[in-house]
Amino acid sequence: MTNSAFTPRVFSGIQPSGGLTLGNYLGAIKRFVSMQEEAYETIYCMVDLHAITVWQDPAKLRHNTRELAAGFIASGISPDKSILINQSQVPEHAQLAWIFNCVARMGWMQRMTQFKDKAGKNAQNASLGLFGYPALMAADILIYHATHVPVGDDQKQHLELTRDIAIKFNHDYGVDFFPITEPVIEGAATRVMSLRDGSKKMSKSDASDASRINMTDDADTIAKKIRKAKTDPDALPSEAKGLDDRPEARNLVNIYAALADISVDQVLAEHGGAQFGSFKPALADLAVAKLAPISTEMARLMDDPAEIDRILARGAEQAREITAPILKQTYDIVGMVGG
Ligand code: TYM
């Protein structure tokens, strides 16, 4: 059986671990919105169970989950077109994850670079959940039989593991039950880099706030961060090849292209030869024009958290219509007795 036997279905998730960045927006959410308008069923998730693999203050986690939901909606994800959920309200994610804990191998998990990065030198003190994280991520996707997963470049290895888990499950039990999911890692901004260091990913956990644009930053802050972004002294090249070995310049051009929905070549056709003194203000204007309405709408939605909770409760009900039968079939395949 090939994936064409499955309903074209998109799943993706973001951790509500505090603050959405421009990296999350360009690498993930913008694509979530465009796929919602295509011929897919779309399910988008605040992965709260993943967030607690490192310590989260409970009150902040609750706030961050609602704020992330507001960010999804303000960016254009419509609860009428997509299923919007927080992971813990759909218990089948965690139930399937247990089965996958028994399918995935220790050696596979030990190769995960995100675990190594996050656990750091003190791996013995990392939570067991952080180690098993990719099995839960595979369950998030496969509990929907999702065929496509839009993500930024940093999630590629986890998606390969998801495919390995599906293949091993299907093989071990002699079934064609789980699809072999396609990662969707496309566009100019699959890896948005820090504004202070072109060799580091833009991340909400970077100690320097100047390294990232937060979706809640106001227009002045966005403009100031872009003006101060690290660059080199040269003018912009007129062809993409001229960005080789210029990571900071390449990053700003990629961000421009992704925000404007044009190619890198088109950006350089327009701005090639320009100094950063003129390109940065153009980028700042573009970023403010695209992002300020989102942060304003997020703030408005956050004034009514009860409405966000209602949307997530409705999403969970819709999600469980898909996940409950798939979990039941999985249990049957595995040999669990039940009605
Ligand atoms: P998370 O929460 O770290 O990031 C959410 C999404 O944003 C993308 N992203 C970026 N893209 C480009 N440039 C950046 N600097 C950047 N930073 C983050 C990430 O690639 C991701 O797409 N493990 C996932 C969450 C998850 C998930 C899933 C994703 C849990 N279950 C199932 C897809 C499917 C994570 O930690 O993403």
Side-chain angles (χ1 to χ4, degrees), residues 167-190:
I167 290 167
K168 182 162 164 55
F169 182 97
N170 288 346
H171 175 265
D172 288 354
Y173 291 101
V175 290
D176 273 324
F177 186 61
F178 288 116
I180 312 305
T181 301
E182 288 297 330
V184 181
I185 306 175
E186 287 168 5
T190 56

Side-chain angles (χ1 to χ4, degrees), residues 213 217-227 284 287-288 291-292:
I213 291 172
D217 284 345
D218 61 25
D220 283 351
T221 311
I222 295 174
K224 196 173 348 134
K225 285 178 176 175
I226 291 179
R227 246 190 348 263
V288 168
L291 303 180

Side-chain angles (χ1 to χ4, degrees), residues 89-105:
Q89 281 205 77
V90 184
E92 289 80 11
H93 289 234
Q95 288 173 291
L96 184 62
W98 180 257
I99 306 274
F100 288 171
N101 279 340
C102 303
V103 173
R105 304 289 94 183

Side-chain angles (χ1 to χ4, degrees), residues 298-320:
M298 272 172 85
R300 193 189 67 77
L301 292 165
M302 283 301 279
D303 281 342
D304 189 359
E307 174 59 14
I308 293 178
D309 291 2
R310 276 192 290 278
I311 289 171
L312 296 181
R314 185 158 60 91
E317 265 177 46
Q318 295 168 327
R320 296 195 73 188

Side-chain angles (χ1 to χ4, degrees), residues 25-26 30-31 34 187-188 253-264 266-267 286 290:
Y25 178 65
L26 295 179
K30 215 162 165 290
R31 169 72 54 175
S34 65
V253 171
N254 284 349
I255 292 173
Y256 192 107
L259 281 171
D261 275 319
I262 58 177
S263 68
V264 165
Q266 284 172 298
V267 179
L286 174 64
K290 296 282 179 178

